[in-house]
Amino acid sequence: MLHNNFYRSSGSAIIIRRIYEICAESGIDFYFAGTQYQSAITHDEEQDLSWMPAGRYAAFALMPRSLKLVRELRRFARWLREQQIEIVHAHHRRLAMLANLISPLTNIPVLYTGHNTFAWSPAFWLLAPRNATGVSPSVVRYLKSATRAKDPENICNPYAFPVAPSEEDKRATPDRVISVGRLEPIKGHVHLIQAWKILRDGGLRVPLHIIGEGYLHAELNAKIKGLGLTDLVQLTGYKSGLENDIRHAFFNVLASSTEGFPNVVVESAALRKASLVTDVDGSRDCVPPNRTLPNLVPYGSPVALAEAVGTWLRNPRQMAAEGDVFYDFLRGKCDVQHIRHAYMGLYAGILKQRAQQNFALRFLGQ
């Protein structure tokens, strides 16, 4: 498994862990490779490598664009051969291209899983692996247009949905709205905070808990204070488990400019809580077609967000029923057994293809 980081709040890193946990049961030995690249993060954020088997992680300086990259690619290729890696499963665009670039030298096929959509890139189109999956229909459409992948498959993010509500679920009394995501511009928290001022000014006073960490913490906190919302809007920071917050939430709201297949929408649906999201790639794939409350609001519009949130909060019975609709819609898509079978079949198919290619090369060499 190849990714640029394994930060504890990284959605794609969380999914890598879940794929590992469901597929390791089938007898696969997993190794993990990251980079030594540090993005604009706060000192509170850290990588979580605790779930990886001892001795199975290595880091390589694959992000800098310098001559050092050549040396690190050689070191990476040597590590792959030493560990007898059979497939590189990359979850980052640049790293997928680099792994694919050296694939003729290592004879190790590369699978790329896309976790989001991006602008078209000639370099990615040229160097992206031919084996690819996307976590949502939006990502699959992106891969079809942005790569030469043969037939990118939609494999959603795995999550085990409970069959019935627990006693904790039944006892919980909703008293807040939650929004979960890294404190970065792409998540649109500033628009959400502005929407809460509109709601407050209109007489609707419901707490909003923004759960996550990131470099915009101070800026968003200043925004909350400047709008006089400290009694309603709370930045709670990073939390390792969200179940209790979801149980006590009326619903979840995402104001993002783009998503892949947002984990929090899935985790909320598993506890029968609906999500109000913006009409952007990834998020729209999570919204059931048979919803009854307004959803898919325009990105960047605090007014539209406030109107939709207000409608949800003023219709508590409909809001609770919407949670069941999300549960039914996403449970099958995220089924752990189905996704394990999909990845196991994909891995087997890639290895079979490599064996056939190696046989053909040996035959031609004779």
Side-chain angles (χ1 to χ4, degrees):
M1 292 291 192
L2 175 63
H3 195 34
N4 66 322
N5 68 68
F6 291 90
Y7 295 142
R8 60 188 184 182
S9 57
S10 165
S12 48
I14 291 170
I15 294 310
I16 291 172
R17 176 176 180 172
R18 291 177 183 169
I19 295 172
Y20 155 68
E21 289 174 343
I22 66 173
C23 291
E25 299 176 4
S26 301
I28 297 179
D29 288 330
F30 280 88
Y31 287 76
F32 305 87
T35 72
Q36 298 167 345
Y37 173 72
Q38 291 270 328
S39 61
I41 61 172
T42 70
H43 69 279
D44 294 324
E45 294 184 88
E46 58 185 38
Q47 293 208 104
D48 178 14
L49 309 179
S50 62
W51 50 274
M52 299 179 185
R56 298 287 183 88
Y57 173 79
F60 304 89
L62 298 177
M63 299 304 284
R65 290 170 169 83
S66 65
L67 290 177
K68 182 180 179 180
L69 177 60
V70 176
R71 184 175 71 247
E72 286 298 293
L73 278 174
R74 291 176 60 187
R75 192 167 72 89
F76 178 52
R78 186 167 60 250
W79 179 81
L80 292 174
R81 290 191 292 266
E82 289 172 351
Q83 310 308 323
Q84 299 182 339
I85 301 299
E86 295 181 281
I87 296 175
V88 174
H89 189 169
H91 297 259
H92 183 276
R93 284 200 312 165
R94 173 178 168 82
L95 300 181
M97 289 189 290
L98 291 175
N100 197 46
L101 183 65
I102 64 173
S103 182
L105 302 176
T106 62
N107 194 31
I108 301 173
V110 181
L111 167 66
Y112 171 64
T113 288
H115 292 268
N116 214 321
T117 60
F118 304 89
W120 191 86
S121 163
F124 188 56
W125 183 85
L126 182 64
L127 296 176
R130 297 297 183 95
N131 300 302
T133 71
V135 297
S136 68
S138 291
V139 176
V140 168
R141 285 193 295 272
Y142 160 73
L143 292 172
K144 288 181 177 179
S145 65
T147 74
R148 293 179 293 166
K150 290 175 292 187
D151 189 20
E153 186 175 349
N154 178 203
I155 304 179
C156 294
N157 298 335
Y159 195 75
F161 277 49
V163 177
S166 67
E167 289 303 316
E168 291 88 345
D169 299 339
K170 295 175 183 177
R171 289 196 299 266
T173 301
D175 59 6
R176 72 199 70 163
V177 174
I178 62 169
S179 181
V180 182
R182 291 168 64 84
L183 305 184
E184 298 180 354
I186 194 174
K187 296 299 183 179
H189 291 118
V190 65
H191 306 133
L192 189 56
I193 293 169
Q194 291 169 339
W196 239 251
K197 181 182 183 299
I198 296 172
L199 291 167
R200 190 274 312 274
D201 293 348
L204 196 55
R205 300 179 62 86
V206 175
L208 169 66
H209 289 191
I210 298 176
I211 304 170
E213 60 188 347
Y215 65 90
L216 287 184
H217 185 277
E219 182 179 326
L220 294 175
N221 198 43
K223 183 76 172 179
I224 292 167
K225 291 180 179 178
L227 295 177
L229 294 173
T230 54
D231 59 331
L232 289 178
V233 181
Q234 178 181 348
L235 300 179
T236 69
Y238 168 79
K239 294 188 177 183
S240 59
L242 297 174
E243 292 85 356
N244 193 56
D245 290 276
I246 294 173
R247 289 188 184 103
H248 287 88
F250 292 112
F251 57 91
N252 165 62
V253 58
L254 287 181
S256 314
S257 62
T258 184
E259 291 282 352
F261 197 74
N263 292 334
V264 65
V265 174
V266 173
E267 293 172 20
S268 297
L271 293 178
R272 298 181 183 272
K273 296 298 176 76
S275 293
L276 171 60
V277 302
T278 43
D279 188 13
V280 298
D281 284 347
S283 288
R284 66 173 66 97
D285 298 317
C286 294
V287 177
N290 57 331
R291 61 188 182 276
T292 58
L293 288 171
N295 215 315
L296 299 175
V297 301
Y299 167 73
S301 175
V303 173
L305 268 174
E307 289 177 354
V309 169
T311 300
W312 282 50
L313 291 173
R314 293 185 182 100
N315 293 275
R317 290 187 179 179
Q318 201 172 352
M319 182 171 56
E322 201 85 329
D324 293 332
V325 174
F326 269 76
Y327 177 94
D328 294 336
F329 180 67
L330 291 175
R331 182 184 179 189
K333 293 180 180 296
C334 302
D335 179 71
V336 170
Q337 299 297 333
H338 169 74
I339 293 172
R340 178 194 292 116
H341 179 76
Y343 273 119
M344 293 298 293
L346 192 56
Y347 292 154
I350 291 172
L351 291 177
K352 181 179 179 181
Q353 183 183 51
R354 185 185 69 166
Q356 291 172 340
Q357 291 172 345
N358 289 343
F359 175 80
L361 289 173
R362 287 195 299 269
F363 179 80
L364 291 174
Q366 295 174 353

